[in-house]
Amino acid sequence: MKSGEGSAPRILKGIPVSSGVVIGKAHVVETSQLKIVYQYLLDEKHVEMEVERFMDALHTTGEQLKKLKDSMPEPIKSHGFIIDTHLMILQDSMLREGTVEKIRKEQINAEWALKKSLREIRRLFEEIDDPYIRGRIDDVEDVADRIMRNLAGQEAPPLGDITQRVIVVAHKLSPADTSEMDVTKVMGFITDMGGRTSHTAIMAQALKIPAVVGLETATQFVEDGDLLIVDGTAGEVVINPDDSDIIRFQERQVLYQEKESLIAKSSQAPAITKDGYRITVRANIEFLEEVGTVKEYGGEGIGLYRTEFLYLKSRGLPSEEELFLDYKEAVEQVAPDPVAIRTLDLGGEKLTSVPGSLNEANPALGLRGIRLCLKERDMFRTQLRAILRASAFGKVRIIFPMISGVQELMDAKAFLKSIMGELDEEGLGYDPYLEVGIMIEVPSAVTMAEVLAEHVDFFSIGTNDLIQYALAIDRVNEHVAYMYQPFHPAILRMIRTVVEAGDQCGGRVSLCGEMASDPLCTGLLLGLGITELSINARTIPVIKELIRSISIEEARKDLHEVMKLPTARQVREYLLERMNPIIEKLGINESFLNTTQVPMG
Ligand code: PEP
Ligand code: MG
């Protein structure tokens, strides 16, 4: 324990990002020594030399990253694209040209100019709504840190040189730092900074080393050589544990290992109910890099690929080639299972660089999803061409979002057909039989489901939006969050209507809103007749296991009772009573149960 730091806590709580428990000695690495950056003004005659110094640092950074990528250990080789992202950031014009311009115009040193550019980029990211994409600023900062280090002629923390089995303790670790770790030596790591969706977290999972991030004060209280327990499942770190702590955590270790092996054994098996009904469980993803996790957790393909990321990431619009390569990679990795690619579902408020984006008073009711795409045909064409071309490499499905009626669907389908014609003329391959489905997330689409079913191959019920539109509750407005009620009897009736419409036309109905990931809802959805769920990849083993403990016959009986209940609260209480014994028996962790809370107030 460090002296002079005040009374140090014994247990630190952080964000669990890679599961498992390890006990070992701390190895503190200094990664934060570059926090202080000085400004100095340059003589005019030194300005170009400074630009050259900056360009040299960029070059060295690029070379280091390429070398790191080439020497990545086997378990994370498939995550090389994370380093590619860093190489792309290195080419970013705000970072590159923006910094050079500042050096020249303001005659300041490269470090200070880079710091200013970073501040501007950070401001742009802060305006982004999506928390995952907002979190990508971490990657930009990692790259900037590395450039800074090279400007200062400093070595990166020597994580590759660790010779003993240790737990790495750092203020911050970049994915590149993590990729350098020798997994035979690094038992786990903890950091002050970082979040659940950081690329460093993804690396830790791929390497299968327990990790806790976002501890804030780990480097303040942990000293080199301290004994540490890291519980990467619960997000806990114990500094210099006593005997009883060690026994307690060893017990946890055994428990986690038992659960992991159970999950590993059963996650790839199909989800068949006690009375023999096969339920398909696919995954929702937002980024290509999640595909590995989907397969590892037993996802039967991708039920919803949200495609907004590539549009939010680039400042201009992504090119057809960029989109095509991304979709093709996903399709090839997931084959022979399907990938359902949802066409762009951006709201006007999200991205000003998308043509047609407006500053709307009610963006959720404005020019979003299919409406925006049908207005901005060039942009839509680019995406559809990319999706169609990717369909030549595996099983692709298209989902149109926000369909509110038959005309909109017909317009979208006609446009798709015209693009197939374009590809035919150009001799470009695609799957002419690819299935076309729609999101059912607007109440009018529920009412019209019977008619819509005649024109599509499948429905995908998006309860996240359906709840918002049906109950008139803005899904991101905390003032009315207490009324966002997935168990509202109106929502259950709507799902039933859609399933019945799908059944009549032989079309499949899947459900891909957050409700599908909530163990409390599994029986309810099976009772309603849903045969396909698309969920968060990490919950796949749990939901599959739950399905195996449910019989459709019982689920239907429960549904019969549930449909008599007039309020969301009563529905939830009923489900808690029915599902809790099963959930407890399977040992399903609390953290899985928070997706579909209905406030009890
Ligand atoms: C939904 O609305 O339920 C859905 C899955 O889509 P998103 O959350 O992307 O709007
Ligand atoms: Mg939606």
Side-chain angles (χ1 to χ4, degrees):
M1 191 104 23
K2 286 187 180 172
S3 52
E5 305 278 6
S7 75
R10 233 169 41 84
I11 298 181
L12 301 175
K13 285 259 186 197
I15 304 167
V17 290
S18 182
S19 51
V21 180
V22 279
I23 304 177
K25 288 250 157 81
H27 174 78
V28 182
V29 291
E30 291 292 331
T31 52
S32 57
Q33 65 270 56
L34 289 162
K35 266 192 254 165
I36 305 161
V37 173
Y38 295 102
Q39 175 185 17
Y40 53 86
L41 290 175
L42 304 165
D43 258 6
E44 201 167 342
K45 60 177 188 293
H46 291 141
V47 167
E48 284 314 308
M49 272 162 63
E50 191 66 2
V51 170
E52 210 171 296
R53 193 168 76 86
F54 177 63
M55 295 312 281
D56 282 349
L58 289 183
H59 179 76
T60 311
T61 306
E63 291 303 307
Q64 286 168 346
L65 289 172
K66 280 185 214 149
K67 205 165 133 207
L68 267 177
K69 192 184 163 200
D70 291 342
S71 56
M72 268 173 137
E74 204 44 55
I76 50 170
K77 270 237 170 330
S78 62
H79 289 66
F81 62 85
I82 293 178
I83 305 293
D84 288 337
T85 312
H86 283 205
L87 284 164
M88 268 164 63
I89 293 170
L90 205 57
Q91 299 302 327
D92 181 83
S93 67
M94 267 182 98
L95 199 79
R96 248 179 127 86
E97 280 87 53
T99 304
V100 169
E101 196 182 301
K102 287 181 192 68
I103 299 173
R104 288 201 173 118
K105 268 206 185 134
E106 301 176 34
Q107 298 192 3
I108 50 175
N109 56 320
E111 288 88 345
W112 195 253
L114 176 60
K115 194 177 162 159
K116 284 179 106 178
S117 300
L118 190 61
R119 201 184 307 140
E120 288 169 10
I121 299 172
R122 201 181 293 121
R123 254 189 243 125
L124 282 180
F125 271 77
E126 277 162 8
E127 282 168 24
I128 296 173
D129 284 342
D130 186 304
Y132 185 101
I133 295 167
R134 209 169 44 240
R136 299 276 65 83
I137 184 66
D138 289 349
D139 291 305
V140 183
E141 288 185 351
D142 288 340
V143 173
D145 271 358
R146 192 171 275 274
I147 303 171
M148 287 284 192
R149 258 192 228 128
N150 286 321
L151 281 169
Q154 281 184 11
E155 293 283 324
L159 293 171
D161 295 352
I162 294 171
T163 52
Q164 287 173 353
R165 304 250 310 139
V166 288
I167 292 169
V168 169
V169 181
H171 178 65
K172 187 178 167 193
L173 287 174
S174 72
D177 294 334
T178 316
S179 76
E180 267 188 298
M181 290 178 184
D182 175 353
V183 280
T184 63
K185 300 291 181 319
V186 178
M187 306 158 74
F189 69 79
I190 61 173
T191 59
D192 296 336
M193 309 284 286
R196 199 178 294 278
T197 55
S198 66
H199 276 142
T200 305
I202 292 170
M203 286 287 198
Q205 284 153 21
L207 289 165
K208 298 203 181 333
I209 48 178
V212 181
V213 302
L215 287 156
E216 291 175 8
T217 52
T219 52
Q220 192 183 328
F221 293 119
V222 178
E223 214 174 318
D224 230 18
D226 276 349
L227 188 65
L228 295 180
I229 296 176
V230 175
D231 182 341
T233 308
E236 259 177 42
V237 175
V238 186
I239 308 171
N240 292 323
D242 58 25
D243 288 350
S244 68
D245 290 323
I246 294 178
I247 292 169
R248 194 159 46 93
F249 277 86
Q250 277 169 340
E251 282 166 3
R252 276 201 205 175
Q253 205 169 22
V254 173
L255 204 75
Y256 291 154
Q257 277 161 0
E258 277 173 3
K259 252 196 209 167
E260 291 252 318
S261 64
L262 184 82
I263 284 176
K265 249 196 280 162
S266 64
S267 64
Q268 302 301 324
I272 298 173
T273 64
K274 278 200 307 197
D275 45 357
Y277 289 85
R278 170 94 156 80
I279 307 294
T280 307
V281 185
R282 305 195 204 280
N284 292 347
I285 64 161
E286 291 177 47
F287 318 96
L288 184 58
E289 64 212 47
E290 292 170 283
V291 172
T293 320
V294 173
K295 293 183 76 121
E296 189 184 336
Y297 283 80
E300 300 164 89
I302 312 288
L304 172 66
Y305 187 0
R306 293 179 165 108
T307 56
E308 291 74 47
F309 176 60
L310 284 176
Y311 290 81
L312 291 166
K313 195 182 93 177
S314 42
R315 260 176 295 131
L317 289 174
S319 66
E320 179 180 322
E321 206 54 24
E322 201 180 329
L323 295 172
F324 164 66
L325 290 175
D326 184 275
Y327 303 156
K328 174 175 170 276
E329 179 72 32
V331 169
E332 285 180 335
Q333 282 191 37
V334 172
D337 289 321
V339 178
I341 304 179
R342 184 177 70 185
T343 60
L344 192 58
D345 185 22
L346 277 182
E349 89 289 4
K350 273 197 193 156
L351 189 66
T352 43
S353 66
V354 165
S357 292
L358 304 166
N359 204 359
E360 298 171 300
N362 293 307
L365 303 180
L367 194 60
R368 73 169 274 203
I370 196 71
R371 305 167 188 182
L372 179 68
C373 287
L374 285 173
K375 182 161 174 282
E376 296 303 325
R377 298 273 173 142
D378 286 344
M379 181 178 79
F380 198 21
R381 167 181 290 108
T382 305
Q383 187 180 31
L384 289 177
R385 282 179 61 99
I387 298 175
L388 283 172
R389 285 174 56 201
S391 73
F393 297 85
K395 208 186 264 176
V396 170
R397 292 176 180 159
I398 289 187
I399 311 182
F400 293 126
M402 288 288 293
I403 292 288
S404 63
V406 178
Q407 188 60 56
E408 223 169 19
L409 172 61
M410 301 312 281
D411 290 349
K413 280 184 71 176
F415 192 55
L416 177 67
K417 201 159 172 234
S418 74
I419 297 201
M420 287 177 170
E422 274 179 23
L423 296 185
D424 287 336
E425 274 174 30
E426 292 167 43
L428 291 169
Y430 64 92
D431 173 9
Y433 304 108
L434 101 168
E435 293 186 354
V436 177
I438 56 172
M439 294 288 294
I440 299 278
E441 52 189 347
V442 179
S444 56
V446 175
T447 316
M448 293 302 289
E450 247 178 88
V451 188
L452 289 165
E454 289 168 20
H455 302 282
V456 293
D457 298 302
F458 63 94
F459 285 150
S460 190
I461 307 180
T463 43
N464 303 345
D465 274 315
L466 187 59
I467 296 164
Q468 120 159 311
Y469 294 125
L471 304 180
I473 299 300
D474 181 346
R475 72 193 243 197
V476 292
N477 179 342
E478 74 273 22
H479 302 298
V480 286
Y482 71 100
M483 287 188 72
Y484 187 88
Q485 297 176 329
F487 300 117
H488 194 296
I491 300 298
L492 307 188
R493 280 163 175 72
M494 285 181 152
I495 298 174
R496 188 172 60 182
T497 303
V498 178
V499 174
E500 282 170 4
D503 282 351
Q504 269 172 30
C505 297
R508 285 184 318 275
V509 181
S510 84
L511 196 139
C512 62
E514 284 304 306
M515 267 182 102
S517 300
D518 185 348
L520 205 53
C521 298
T522 309
L524 177 74
L525 297 178
L526 299 197
L528 279 161
I530 298 282
T531 53
E532 188 177 314
L533 299 170
S534 189
I535 61 181
N536 180 326
R538 286 179 190 287
T539 48
I540 290 173
V542 165
I543 298 293
K544 275 187 159 181
E545 200 57 24
L546 206 52
I547 292 169
R548 295 184 193 113
S549 321
I550 291 171
S551 95
I552 295 282
E553 199 190 324
E554 282 164 31
R556 283 186 189 144
K557 275 192 206 147
D558 279 335
L559 183 77
H560 189 72
E561 295 308 311
V562 161
M563 285 306 205
K564 293 182 198 159
L565 302 172
T567 67
R569 187 190 304 189
Q570 283 164 298
V571 172
R572 186 165 189 268
E573 275 166 4
Y574 183 93
L575 292 176
L576 274 171
E577 201 176 302
R578 291 289 293 132
M579 295 301 286
N580 262 354
I582 308 177
I583 289 170
E584 271 167 27
K585 200 167 142 213
L586 294 177
I588 294 175
N589 190 304
E590 278 258 311
S591 64
F592 287 115
L593 299 175
N594 300 330
T595 29
T596 318
Q597 294 289 353
V598 177
M600 303 311 281

